[in-house]
Amino acid sequence: MKVFVTGASGHVGSALVPELLRAGHQVVGLARSEASAARIEAQGAVAQLGDLDDLDGLRKGAAESDAVIHLAFKHDEMYAGDYQGAADADLAVVQAFLDELSGTGKALIGTSGTLSYSGLGHTATEDERVPSESPRGAARNAIIDATDVRGSVVVLPPTVHSALDTAGFIPILVRTARATGVSCYPGDGKNRWSAGHTLDAARLYRLAVEKAPTGAILHAVAEEAVTMREIAEVIGRKLNVPVESIPAERAQDHFGPLAFMVGRDAPTSSTKTRELLGWEPKEPGLLEDLETGFYFEQR
């Protein structure tokens, strides 16, 4: 297949492009800059210059391809405090793709996050329905509810980890601990995040574009639950700084753009994803990756 990929030069995209190429697919990757285009082309794919605001360009990329994998998101806006604005832009992109692909039966693979399951009180499964009123819920639901495209959504854990991860949640936590001289966790630190390796996530996206059924929700989760205290303890030990609890009223000052996320509890299962697509994570776990040390190199 010829696959159009947004976010092709980013963290997960940089693993997904070679994964697709090795499987015999052609890849056209969206690039916001000449530098990003060069990285995409160096991997053997074709670059299409443009960004998430260029809806006509996105429609063109979709029309000229057999499938679309939508990875890109306006993370800069989210970290600046406008999560809803970034989510609204994402919904506009998804609607443009759905309009272009309507009636073709082509695959559209979207992206969401397991922190959408926060506060359920149980381990989330692929059967969960996320309210459209939640920031990324409308885009997710638009894809899985579409009947005239082969739409599915890959749900990423907050900690998609590997040496390719230079700007995600774990690097931010490491930089925060280094800058403040303390590695903090919220409250008692028992809240849980799911986790998964970048290379395992890339394999799941490939399987999704090849054979996921219409309306599938796919969890790119290798570990259902890693506590924030466990994460903070490894970071503290690797940086040789104290590890401390931080109360909710100080979270914004300490964690900055991650303050509204660090206290969330969202354990997530991927049992049904594994059964549906035969996907089996095989890369190192989060704490093992943290122990390896690459997250603590000055990059």
CSV table of all heavy atoms in Angstrom, one decimal, residues 235-296:
chain,number,residue,atom,x,y,z
A,235,ILE,N,14.1,8.1,38.4
A,235,ILE,CA,14.7,9.4,38.0
A,235,ILE,C,15.6,10.0,39.1
A,235,ILE,O,16.7,10.5,38.8
A,235,ILE,CB,13.6,10.4,37.6
A,235,ILE,CG1,12.9,9.9,36.3
A,235,ILE,CG2,14.1,11.8,37.3
A,235,ILE,CD1,11.7,10.7,35.9
A,236,GLY,N,15.1,10.0,40.3
A,236,GLY,CA,15.9,10.5,41.4
A,236,GLY,C,17.2,9.8,41.6
A,236,GLY,O,18.2,10.5,41.8
A,237,ARG,N,17.1,8.5,41.5
A,237,ARG,CA,18.4,7.8,41.7
A,237,ARG,C,19.4,8.0,40.6
A,237,ARG,O,20.6,8.2,40.9
A,237,ARG,CB,18.0,6.3,41.8
A,237,ARG,CG,19.2,5.4,42.0
A,237,ARG,CD,18.8,4.0,42.6
A,237,ARG,NE,17.6,3.5,42.0
A,237,ARG,CZ,17.5,2.9,40.8
A,237,ARG,NH1,18.6,2.8,40.1
A,237,ARG,NH2,16.4,2.4,40.4
A,238,LYS,N,18.9,8.1,39.4
A,238,LYS,CA,19.8,8.2,38.2
A,238,LYS,C,20.4,9.6,38.2
A,238,LYS,O,21.5,9.8,37.8
A,238,LYS,CB,19.1,8.0,36.9
A,238,LYS,CG,18.5,6.6,36.8
A,238,LYS,CD,19.6,5.5,36.7
A,238,LYS,CE,20.3,5.5,35.4
A,238,LYS,NZ,21.2,4.3,35.3
A,239,LEU,N,19.6,10.6,38.7
A,239,LEU,CA,20.2,12.0,38.8
A,239,LEU,C,20.8,12.3,40.1
A,239,LEU,O,21.4,13.4,40.3
A,239,LEU,CB,19.0,13.0,38.5
A,239,LEU,CG,18.4,13.0,37.1
A,239,LEU,CD1,17.3,14.0,37.1
A,239,LEU,CD2,19.5,13.3,36.1
A,240,ASN,N,20.7,11.4,41.1
A,240,ASN,CA,21.2,11.6,42.4
A,240,ASN,C,20.6,12.9,43.1
A,240,ASN,O,21.3,13.7,43.6
A,240,ASN,CB,22.8,11.8,42.4
A,240,ASN,CG,23.4,11.6,43.8
A,240,ASN,OD1,22.8,10.9,44.7
A,240,ASN,ND2,24.5,12.3,44.0
A,241,VAL,N,19.3,12.9,43.0
A,241,VAL,CA,18.5,14.0,43.6
A,241,VAL,C,17.5,13.4,44.5
A,241,VAL,O,17.1,12.2,44.4
A,241,VAL,CB,17.9,15.0,42.6
A,241,VAL,CG1,18.9,15.6,41.7
A,241,VAL,CG2,16.8,14.2,41.8
A,242,PRO,N,17.0,14.1,45.6
A,242,PRO,CA,16.0,13.6,46.4
A,242,PRO,C,14.7,13.2,45.7
A,242,PRO,O,14.4,13.8,44.6
A,242,PRO,CB,15.7,14.7,47.4
A,242,PRO,CG,16.9,15.6,47.3
A,242,PRO,CD,17.4,15.5,45.9
A,243,VAL,N,13.9,12.3,46.2
A,243,VAL,CA,12.6,12.0,45.7
A,243,VAL,C,11.5,12.4,46.7
A,243,VAL,O,11.6,11.9,47.9
A,243,VAL,CB,12.5,10.5,45.4
A,243,VAL,CG1,11.1,10.1,44.9
A,243,VAL,CG2,13.6,10.0,44.4
A,244,GLU,N,10.6,13.2,46.3
A,244,GLU,CA,9.6,13.7,47.3
A,244,GLU,C,8.2,13.7,46.7
A,244,GLU,O,8.0,13.9,45.5
A,244,GLU,CB,10.0,15.1,47.7
A,244,GLU,CG,11.4,15.3,48.4
A,244,GLU,CD,11.7,16.7,48.7
A,244,GLU,OE1,10.9,17.6,48.4
A,244,GLU,OE2,12.8,16.9,49.2
A,245,SER,N,7.2,13.6,47.6
A,245,SER,CA,5.8,13.9,47.3
A,245,SER,C,5.6,15.4,47.2
A,245,SER,O,6.2,16.2,47.8
A,245,SER,CB,4.9,13.3,48.4
A,245,SER,OG,3.6,13.7,48.2
A,246,ILE,N,4.7,15.7,46.3
A,246,ILE,CA,4.3,17.1,46.1
A,246,ILE,C,2.8,17.3,46.2
A,246,ILE,O,2.1,16.5,45.6
A,246,ILE,CB,4.9,17.7,44.8
A,246,ILE,CG1,4.8,19.2,44.8
A,246,ILE,CG2,4.2,17.1,43.6
A,246,ILE,CD1,5.6,19.9,43.6
A,247,PRO,N,2.3,18.2,47.0
A,247,PRO,CA,0.8,18.4,47.1
A,247,PRO,C,0.2,19.0,45.8
A,247,PRO,O,0.9,19.6,45.0
A,247,PRO,CB,0.7,19.3,48.3
A,247,PRO,CG,2.0,20.1,48.3
A,247,PRO,CD,3.0,19.1,47.9
A,248,ALA,N,-1.0,18.7,45.6
A,248,ALA,CA,-1.7,19.2,44.4
A,248,ALA,C,-1.6,20.7,44.2
A,248,ALA,O,-1.4,21.1,43.0
A,248,ALA,CB,-3.2,18.8,44.5
A,249,GLU,N,-1.6,21.5,45.3
A,249,GLU,CA,-1.5,22.9,45.1
A,249,GLU,C,-0.1,23.4,44.6
A,249,GLU,O,0.0,24.6,44.1
A,249,GLU,CB,-1.9,23.7,46.4
A,249,GLU,CG,-1.0,23.3,47.6
A,249,GLU,CD,-1.5,22.2,48.4
A,249,GLU,OE1,-2.3,21.4,47.9
A,249,GLU,OE2,-1.1,22.1,49.6
A,250,ARG,N,0.9,22.6,44.7
A,250,ARG,CA,2.2,22.9,44.1
A,250,ARG,C,2.5,22.3,42.8
A,250,ARG,O,3.6,22.5,42.2
A,250,ARG,CB,3.3,22.6,45.2
A,250,ARG,CG,3.3,23.4,46.4
A,250,ARG,CD,4.4,22.9,47.4
A,250,ARG,NE,5.7,22.8,46.6
A,250,ARG,CZ,6.6,22.0,46.9
A,250,ARG,NH1,6.5,21.1,47.9
A,250,ARG,NH2,7.8,22.0,46.3
A,251,ALA,N,1.6,21.5,42.3
A,251,ALA,CA,1.9,20.7,41.1
A,251,ALA,C,2.2,21.6,39.9
A,251,ALA,O,3.1,21.4,39.1
A,251,ALA,CB,0.8,19.8,40.8
A,252,GLN,N,1.4,22.7,39.7
A,252,GLN,CA,1.5,23.6,38.6
A,252,GLN,C,2.9,24.2,38.6
A,252,GLN,O,3.6,24.3,37.5
A,252,GLN,CB,0.4,24.6,38.6
A,252,GLN,CG,0.5,25.6,37.4
A,252,GLN,CD,0.3,24.9,36.0
A,252,GLN,OE1,-0.7,24.2,35.9
A,252,GLN,NE2,1.2,25.1,35.1
A,253,ASP,N,3.3,24.7,39.7
A,253,ASP,CA,4.6,25.4,39.8
A,253,ASP,C,5.8,24.4,39.5
A,253,ASP,O,6.7,24.8,38.9
A,253,ASP,CB,4.8,26.0,41.2
A,253,ASP,CG,3.9,27.2,41.4
A,253,ASP,OD1,3.5,27.8,40.5
A,253,ASP,OD2,3.7,27.5,42.6
A,254,HIS,N,5.6,23.2,40.0
A,254,HIS,CA,6.7,22.2,39.8
A,254,HIS,C,6.7,21.6,38.4
A,254,HIS,O,7.7,21.5,37.7
A,254,HIS,CB,6.7,21.1,40.9
A,254,HIS,CG,7.8,20.2,40.8
A,254,HIS,ND1,9.1,20.5,41.3
A,254,HIS,CD2,7.9,18.9,40.2
A,254,HIS,CE1,9.9,19.5,41.1
A,254,HIS,NE2,9.2,18.5,40.4
A,255,PHE,N,5.6,21.0,38.0
A,255,PHE,CA,5.5,20.2,36.8
A,255,PHE,C,5.2,21.0,35.5
A,255,PHE,O,5.4,20.5,34.4
A,255,PHE,CB,4.5,19.1,36.9
A,255,PHE,CG,4.8,18.0,37.9
A,255,PHE,CD1,4.2,17.9,39.1
A,255,PHE,CD2,5.9,17.2,37.6
A,255,PHE,CE1,4.5,16.9,40.0
A,255,PHE,CE2,6.2,16.2,38.5
A,255,PHE,CZ,5.5,16.0,39.7
A,256,GLY,N,4.8,22.3,35.7
A,256,GLY,CA,4.5,23.1,34.5
A,256,GLY,C,3.4,22.5,33.6
A,256,GLY,O,2.3,22.1,34.0
A,257,PRO,N,3.8,22.2,32.3
A,257,PRO,CA,2.8,21.8,31.3
A,257,PRO,C,2.2,20.4,31.6
A,257,PRO,O,1.2,20.0,31.1
A,257,PRO,CB,3.5,21.8,30.0
A,257,PRO,CG,5.0,21.7,30.4
A,257,PRO,CD,5.1,22.5,31.7
A,258,LEU,N,2.9,19.6,32.5
A,258,LEU,CA,2.4,18.3,32.8
A,258,LEU,C,1.6,18.2,34.1
A,258,LEU,O,1.1,17.2,34.5
A,258,LEU,CB,3.6,17.3,33.0
A,258,LEU,CG,4.4,16.9,31.8
A,258,LEU,CD1,5.4,15.8,32.1
A,258,LEU,CD2,3.5,16.4,30.7
A,259,ALA,N,1.3,19.4,34.7
A,259,ALA,CA,0.6,19.4,36.0
A,259,ALA,C,-0.7,18.8,35.9
A,259,ALA,O,-1.2,18.1,36.8
A,259,ALA,CB,0.5,20.9,36.5
A,260,PHE,N,-1.5,19.0,34.8
A,260,PHE,CA,-2.8,18.5,34.7
A,260,PHE,C,-2.9,17.0,34.3
A,260,PHE,O,-3.9,16.4,34.3
A,260,PHE,CB,-3.6,19.3,33.7
A,260,PHE,CG,-3.3,19.0,32.2
A,260,PHE,CD1,-4.2,18.3,31.4
A,260,PHE,CD2,-2.2,19.5,31.7
A,260,PHE,CE1,-3.9,18.1,30.1
A,260,PHE,CE2,-1.9,19.3,30.3
A,260,PHE,CZ,-2.8,18.6,29.5
A,261,MET,N,-1.7,16.4,34.1
A,261,MET,CA,-1.6,15.0,33.7
A,261,MET,C,-1.0,14.1,34.8
A,261,MET,O,-1.3,12.9,34.9
A,261,MET,CB,-0.8,14.8,32.4
A,261,MET,CG,-1.4,15.5,31.3
A,261,MET,SD,-0.5,15.2,29.8
A,261,MET,CE,-1.4,16.2,28.6
A,262,VAL,N,0.0,14.6,35.6
A,262,VAL,CA,0.8,13.8,36.4
A,262,VAL,C,0.0,13.0,37.5
A,262,VAL,O,0.4,12.0,38.0
A,262,VAL,CB,2.0,14.6,37.1
A,262,VAL,CG1,3.0,15.0,36.1
A,262,VAL,CG2,1.5,15.7,37.9
A,263,GLY,N,-1.1,13.6,37.9
A,263,GLY,CA,-1.9,13.0,39.0
A,263,GLY,C,-2.9,12.0,38.5
A,263,GLY,O,-3.7,11.4,39.3
A,264,ARG,N,-3.1,11.8,37.2
A,264,ARG,CA,-4.1,11.0,36.7
A,264,ARG,C,-3.8,9.5,36.9
A,264,ARG,O,-2.7,9.1,36.8
A,264,ARG,CB,-4.3,11.3,35.2
A,264,ARG,CG,-4.9,12.7,34.9
A,264,ARG,CD,-5.3,12.8,33.4
A,264,ARG,NE,-5.8,14.2,33.1
A,264,ARG,CZ,-6.3,14.5,32.0
A,264,ARG,NH1,-6.4,13.6,31.0
A,264,ARG,NH2,-6.7,15.7,31.8
A,265,ASP,N,-4.9,8.8,37.1
A,265,ASP,CA,-4.8,7.3,37.3
A,265,ASP,C,-5.5,6.6,36.1
A,265,ASP,O,-6.7,6.8,36.0
A,265,ASP,CB,-5.4,6.9,38.6
A,265,ASP,CG,-5.2,5.4,38.9
A,265,ASP,OD1,-4.0,5.0,38.9
A,265,ASP,OD2,-6.2,4.7,39.1
A,266,ALA,N,-4.7,5.9,35.3
A,266,ALA,CA,-5.4,5.4,34.1
A,266,ALA,C,-4.7,4.0,33.7
A,266,ALA,O,-4.1,3.9,32.6
A,266,ALA,CB,-5.3,6.4,32.9
A,267,PRO,N,-4.8,3.0,34.5
A,267,PRO,CA,-4.3,1.7,34.1
A,267,PRO,C,-5.1,1.2,32.9
A,267,PRO,O,-6.3,1.4,32.8
A,267,PRO,CB,-4.6,0.8,35.3
A,267,PRO,CG,-5.7,1.5,36.1
A,267,PRO,CD,-5.5,3.0,35.8
A,268,THR,N,-4.4,0.6,32.0
A,268,THR,CA,-5.0,0.2,30.7
A,268,THR,C,-4.6,-1.1,30.2
A,268,THR,O,-3.4,-1.4,30.2
A,268,THR,CB,-4.7,1.3,29.6
A,268,THR,OG1,-5.1,2.6,30.1
A,268,THR,CG2,-5.4,1.0,28.3
A,269,SER,N,-5.5,-1.9,29.8
A,269,SER,CA,-5.2,-3.3,29.3
A,269,SER,C,-5.1,-3.3,27.7
A,269,SER,O,-5.7,-2.4,27.1
A,269,SER,CB,-6.3,-4.2,29.7
A,269,SER,OG,-6.3,-5.5,29.0
A,270,SER,N,-4.4,-4.2,27.2
A,270,SER,CA,-4.3,-4.4,25.7
A,270,SER,C,-4.6,-5.8,25.3
A,270,SER,O,-4.3,-6.2,24.2
A,270,SER,CB,-2.9,-4.0,25.2
A,270,SER,OG,-1.9,-4.8,25.8
A,271,THR,N,-5.3,-6.5,26.2
A,271,THR,CA,-5.6,-7.9,25.9
A,271,THR,C,-6.4,-8.1,24.6
A,271,THR,O,-6.0,-9.0,23.8
A,271,THR,CB,-6.4,-8.6,27.1
A,271,THR,OG1,-5.6,-8.5,28.3
A,271,THR,CG2,-6.7,-10.0,26.8
A,272,LYS,N,-7.4,-7.3,24.4
A,272,LYS,CA,-8.2,-7.5,23.2
A,272,LYS,C,-7.4,-7.1,21.9
A,272,LYS,O,-7.6,-7.7,20.8
A,272,LYS,CB,-9.5,-6.7,23.3
A,272,LYS,CG,-10.4,-7.3,24.4
A,272,LYS,CD,-11.7,-6.6,24.5
A,272,LYS,CE,-12.6,-7.2,25.6
A,272,LYS,NZ,-13.9,-6.6,25.7
A,273,THR,N,-6.6,-6.1,22.0
A,273,THR,CA,-5.8,-5.7,20.9
A,273,THR,C,-4.8,-6.8,20.5
A,273,THR,O,-4.7,-7.1,19.3
A,273,THR,CB,-4.9,-4.5,21.3
A,273,THR,OG1,-5.8,-3.4,21.6
A,273,THR,CG2,-4.0,-4.1,20.1
A,274,ARG,N,-4.2,-7.5,21.4
A,274,ARG,CA,-3.3,-8.6,21.2
A,274,ARG,C,-4.1,-9.7,20.5
A,274,ARG,O,-3.6,-10.3,19.5
A,274,ARG,CB,-2.6,-9.1,22.4
A,274,ARG,CG,-1.8,-8.0,23.1
A,274,ARG,CD,-1.2,-8.5,24.4
A,274,ARG,NE,-0.7,-7.4,25.3
A,274,ARG,CZ,0.4,-7.4,26.0
A,274,ARG,NH1,1.1,-8.5,26.1
A,274,ARG,NH2,0.7,-6.4,26.8
A,275,GLU,N,-5.3,-10.0,21.0
A,275,GLU,CA,-6.0,-11.1,20.4
A,275,GLU,C,-6.5,-10.8,19.0
A,275,GLU,O,-6.5,-11.6,18.1
A,275,GLU,CB,-7.2,-11.4,21.3
A,275,GLU,CG,-6.9,-12.0,22.7
A,275,GLU,CD,-8.0,-12.1,23.6
A,275,GLU,OE1,-9.1,-11.5,23.3
A,275,GLU,OE2,-7.9,-12.7,24.7
A,276,LEU,N,-6.9,-9.5,18.8
A,276,LEU,CA,-7.5,-9.1,17.5
A,276,LEU,C,-6.4,-9.1,16.4
A,276,LEU,O,-6.7,-9.6,15.3
A,276,LEU,CB,-8.1,-7.7,17.6
A,276,LEU,CG,-8.7,-7.1,16.3
A,276,LEU,CD1,-9.9,-8.0,15.9
A,276,LEU,CD2,-9.1,-5.7,16.6
A,277,LEU,N,-5.2,-8.6,16.6
A,277,LEU,CA,-4.2,-8.4,15.6
A,277,LEU,C,-3.0,-9.3,15.7
A,277,LEU,O,-2.1,-9.2,14.9
A,277,LEU,CB,-3.8,-7.0,15.5
A,277,LEU,CG,-4.9,-5.9,15.2
A,277,LEU,CD1,-4.3,-4.5,15.1
A,277,LEU,CD2,-5.6,-6.3,13.9
A,278,GLY,N,-2.9,-10.1,16.8
A,278,GLY,CA,-1.8,-10.9,17.0
A,278,GLY,C,-0.5,-10.1,17.4
A,278,GLY,O,0.6,-10.5,17.2
A,279,TRP,N,-0.8,-8.9,17.9
A,279,TRP,CA,0.3,-8.0,18.4
A,279,TRP,C,0.8,-8.4,19.7
A,279,TRP,O,0.0,-8.7,20.6
A,279,TRP,CB,-0.2,-6.6,18.4
A,279,TRP,CG,0.8,-5.6,18.9
A,279,TRP,CD1,1.9,-5.1,18.3
A,279,TRP,CD2,0.7,-4.9,20.1
A,279,TRP,NE1,2.5,-4.2,19.0
A,279,TRP,CE2,1.8,-4.0,20.2
A,279,TRP,CE3,-0.2,-4.9,21.2
A,279,TRP,CZ2,2.0,-3.1,21.3
A,279,TRP,CZ3,0.0,-4.0,22.3
A,279,TRP,CH2,1.1,-3.2,22.3
A,280,GLU,N,2.1,-8.6,19.9
A,280,GLU,CA,2.7,-8.9,21.1
A,280,GLU,C,3.9,-8.1,21.4
A,280,GLU,O,4.9,-8.1,20.7
A,280,GLU,CB,3.1,-10.4,21.1
A,280,GLU,CG,3.5,-10.9,22.5
A,280,GLU,CD,2.3,-10.8,23.5
A,280,GLU,OE1,1.2,-11.1,23.1
A,280,GLU,OE2,2.6,-10.5,24.7
A,281,PRO,N,3.9,-7.2,22.4
A,281,PRO,CA,5.0,-6.3,22.7
A,281,PRO,C,6.2,-7.2,23.1
A,281,PRO,O,6.1,-8.2,23.8
A,281,PRO,CB,4.6,-5.5,23.9
A,281,PRO,CG,3.1,-5.5,23.8
A,281,PRO,CD,2.7,-6.9,23.3
A,282,LYS,N,7.4,-6.8,22.6
A,282,LYS,CA,8.6,-7.5,22.9
A,282,LYS,C,9.8,-6.7,23.3
A,282,LYS,O,10.9,-7.2,23.5
A,282,LYS,CB,9.0,-8.4,21.6
A,282,LYS,CG,9.2,-7.6,20.4
A,282,LYS,CD,9.5,-8.5,19.2
A,282,LYS,CE,9.8,-7.8,17.9
A,282,LYS,NZ,10.0,-8.7,16.8
A,283,GLU,N,9.7,-5.4,23.4
A,283,GLU,CA,10.8,-4.5,23.7
A,283,GLU,C,10.8,-4.3,25.2
A,283,GLU,O,9.9,-4.7,25.9
A,283,GLU,CB,10.6,-3.2,23.0
A,283,GLU,CG,10.4,-3.3,21.5
A,283,GLU,CD,11.7,-3.8,20.8
A,283,GLU,OE1,12.8,-3.8,21.3
A,283,GLU,OE2,11.5,-4.4,19.7
A,284,PRO,N,11.9,-3.7,25.7
A,284,PRO,CA,12.1,-3.5,27.2
A,284,PRO,C,10.9,-2.6,27.7
A,284,PRO,O,10.3,-1.8,27.1
A,284,PRO,CB,13.4,-2.7,27.3
A,284,PRO,CG,14.1,-3.1,26.0
A,284,PRO,CD,13.1,-3.2,25.0
A,285,GLY,N,10.7,-2.8,29.0
A,285,GLY,CA,9.7,-2.1,29.7
A,285,GLY,C,10.2,-0.7,30.1
A,285,GLY,O,11.4,-0.3,30.0
A,286,LEU,N,9.3,0.2,30.7
A,286,LEU,CA,9.6,1.6,31.0
A,286,LEU,C,10.7,1.7,32.0
A,286,LEU,O,11.7,2.4,31.8
A,286,LEU,CB,8.4,2.3,31.5
A,286,LEU,CG,8.6,3.7,32.0
A,286,LEU,CD1,9.2,4.6,31.0
A,286,LEU,CD2,7.3,4.3,32.5
A,287,LEU,N,10.6,1.0,33.1
A,287,LEU,CA,11.6,1.1,34.2
A,287,LEU,C,13.0,0.6,33.7
A,287,LEU,O,14.0,1.1,34.0
A,287,LEU,CB,11.2,0.4,35.5
A,287,LEU,CG,9.9,1.0,36.1
A,287,LEU,CD1,9.6,0.3,37.4
A,287,LEU,CD2,10.0,2.5,36.3
A,288,GLU,N,12.9,-0.5,32.9
A,288,GLU,CA,14.2,-1.0,32.3
A,288,GLU,C,14.8,0.0,31.4
A,288,GLU,O,16.1,0.2,31.4
A,288,GLU,CB,13.9,-2.3,31.6
A,288,GLU,CG,15.1,-3.0,31.0
A,288,GLU,CD,14.8,-4.3,30.3
A,288,GLU,OE1,13.6,-4.7,30.3
A,288,GLU,OE2,15.7,-4.8,29.6
A,289,ASP,N,14.0,0.7,30.6
A,289,ASP,CA,14.6,1.7,29.7
A,289,ASP,C,15.1,2.9,30.5
A,289,ASP,O,16.2,3.4,30.2
A,289,ASP,CB,13.5,2.2,28.8
A,289,ASP,CG,13.6,1.7,27.3
A,289,ASP,OD1,14.5,0.9,27.1
A,289,ASP,OD2,12.8,2.1,26.5
A,290,LEU,N,14.5,3.2,31.6
A,290,LEU,CA,15.0,4.3,32.4
A,290,LEU,C,16.3,3.9,33.1
A,290,LEU,O,17.3,4.7,33.2
A,290,LEU,CB,14.0,4.6,33.5
A,290,LEU,CG,12.8,5.6,33.2
A,290,LEU,CD1,11.8,5.6,34.3
A,290,LEU,CD2,13.3,7.0,32.9
A,291,GLU,N,16.5,2.7,33.5
A,291,GLU,CA,17.7,2.2,34.1
A,291,GLU,C,18.9,2.2,33.0
A,291,GLU,O,20.0,2.4,33.4
A,291,GLU,CB,17.5,0.8,34.6
A,291,GLU,CG,16.6,0.7,35.8
A,291,GLU,CD,17.2,1.3,37.1
A,291,GLU,OE1,18.4,1.7,37.1
A,291,GLU,OE2,16.5,1.2,38.1
A,292,THR,N,18.5,2.0,31.8
A,292,THR,CA,19.6,2.0,30.7
A,292,THR,C,20.4,3.3,30.7
A,292,THR,O,21.6,3.3,30.5
A,292,THR,CB,18.9,1.7,29.3
A,292,THR,OG1,18.3,0.5,29.4
A,292,THR,CG2,20.0,1.7,28.3
A,293,GLY,N,19.7,4.4,30.9
A,293,GLY,CA,20.4,5.7,31.1
A,293,GLY,C,20.3,6.7,30.0
A,293,GLY,O,20.7,7.8,30.2
A,294,PHE,N,19.8,6.3,28.8
A,294,PHE,CA,19.8,7.3,27.7
A,294,PHE,C,18.9,8.5,28.0
A,294,PHE,O,19.2,9.6,27.5
A,294,PHE,CB,19.4,6.6,26.4
A,294,PHE,CG,18.1,5.9,26.4
A,294,PHE,CD1,16.9,6.5,26.3
A,294,PHE,CD2,18.1,4.5,26.4
A,294,PHE,CE1,15.7,5.9,26.3
A,294,PHE,CE2,16.9,3.8,26.4
A,294,PHE,CZ,15.7,4.5,26.4
A,295,TYR,N,17.9,8.3,28.8
A,295,TYR,CA,17.1,9.5,29.2
A,295,TYR,C,17.8,10.5,30.0
A,295,TYR,O,17.4,11.7,30.1
A,295,TYR,CB,15.8,9.0,30.0
A,295,TYR,CG,14.7,8.6,29.1
A,295,TYR,CD1,14.3,7.2,29.1
A,295,TYR,CD2,14.0,9.5,28.3
A,295,TYR,CE1,13.2,6.8,28.3
A,295,TYR,CE2,12.9,9.1,27.5
A,295,TYR,CZ,12.5,7.8,27.5
A,295,TYR,OH,11.4,7.4,26.8
A,296,PHE,N,18.9,10.2,30.5
A,296,PHE,CA,19.7,11.1,31.4
A,296,PHE,C,20.9,11.7,30.7
A,296,PHE,O,21.7,12.4,31.3
A,296,PHE,CB,20.1,10.4,32.7
A,296,PHE,CG,18.8,9.8,33.3
A,296,PHE,CD1,18.5,8.4,33.1
A,296,PHE,CD2,18.0,10.6,34.1
A,296,PHE,CE1,17.4,7.9,33.7
A,296,PHE,CE2,16.9,10.0,34.7
A,296,PHE,CZ,16.6,8.7,34.5
